[in-house]
Each structure stands twice: as C-alpha cells, then as structure tokens.
Amino acid sequence: MKRHWLGFMLAMITPMIVINGHPMPGRWGRNTVPLPPGQHHLHLHLPYILPTQIGPADATVWLQPGMPLELEYRAPLWTYARGALGPAPQPWNGKGCVIALLAIIGALILLMLAVVALVSLG
C-alpha cells in the first residue's frame, strides 16, 4: 500500500482491506495476508469523514495452491479519485486534478504579485 509524498496527511489514516466482505485494518507498506486457494474479492480504501471512503479500489483474484500473489495499491492524489489496485507499478490516480489545482494557485499568486507590483509602481 503506497501513498504519494504529496499525500503526507494520509499517513494518519489506517488503510482498510476487505477480503470477501470481511474487513481488516491494513498498514502503509507491505501487508501479507494468507488466503486459501480459490477466488477472492479484494476491496481497499481509506476510511474518512466526507467522503466516507477515499480511493476505493476492487479486484477479483484467483489463487492456486502455493501460489503467491503480489498486488500494489496506490492511494489517489485527489481525494475524490479512485485508488489503483493491481500488479506493480500502478498509476497515481487524480494526478491531473492536482496539477490543474497547483497551476491555478500558481497563476493566482503570479497575478497578485503583478497587481502589487503595478500598484507600488503607480
């Protein structure tokens, strides 16, 4: 389970792993969950207030006897985006929203600096 360094506040949230409808707390980093062979439905999310789940992601996996399976979950950069779950490496969902938001904030700061410069010169 990974989070981007821009999402440093997510470190305070305990990830939730739901396997076949049975919830269990996870942790950031590697989580080892022994499962019997067969089909399993995985659901991962970060519990929160509004929305109640950040970065929900689902996958159905088939396990053969003695077969290890490694999946990677990446929490989204944007709160309202879905998480990414599957074979590594997974994308950082919500990256476009964060880039757009940072560009708008940067443009507003530049505009304010330009207005302050024009007022002080005039």
Side-chain angles (χ1 to χ4, degrees), residues 1-23:
M1 300 188 96
K2 295 183 177 183
R3 59 179 171 76
H4 197 275
W5 65 269
L6 286 175
F8 60 91
M9 296 291 285
L10 294 178
M12 295 185 293
I13 299 174
T14 301
M16 185 61 65
I17 302 170
V18 181
I19 301 174
N20 298 328
H22 301 285

Side-chain angles (χ1 to χ4, degrees), residues 6 77-78 94-108:
L6 286 175
L77 291 173
W78 181 255
K95 185 170 32 174
C97 292
V98 170
I99 291 171
L101 182 64
L102 292 175
I104 290 169
I105 291 170
L108 288 173

Side-chain angles (χ1 to χ4, degrees), residues 19-107:
I19 301 174
N20 298 328
H22 301 285
M24 60 187 263
R27 62 181 174 83
W28 293 108
R30 183 177 292 271
N31 291 268
T32 303
V33 181
L35 294 172
Q39 179 181 350
H40 300 281
H41 182 266
L42 306 176
H43 172 83
L44 287 83
H45 70 272
L46 306 173
Y48 200 62
I49 300 166
L50 284 175
T52 57
Q53 295 182 357
I54 296 175
D58 294 279
T60 300
V61 296
W62 284 89
L63 296 177
Q64 301 297 326
M67 175 186 142
L69 176 66
E70 287 202 25
L71 298 175
E72 179 180 76
Y73 171 79
R74 286 196 181 185
L77 291 173
W78 181 255
T79 304
Y80 300 100
R82 295 191 58 79
L85 176 63
Q90 288 293 307
W92 294 108
N93 291 341
K95 185 170 32 174
C97 292
V98 170
I99 291 171
L101 182 64
L102 292 175
I104 290 169
I105 291 170

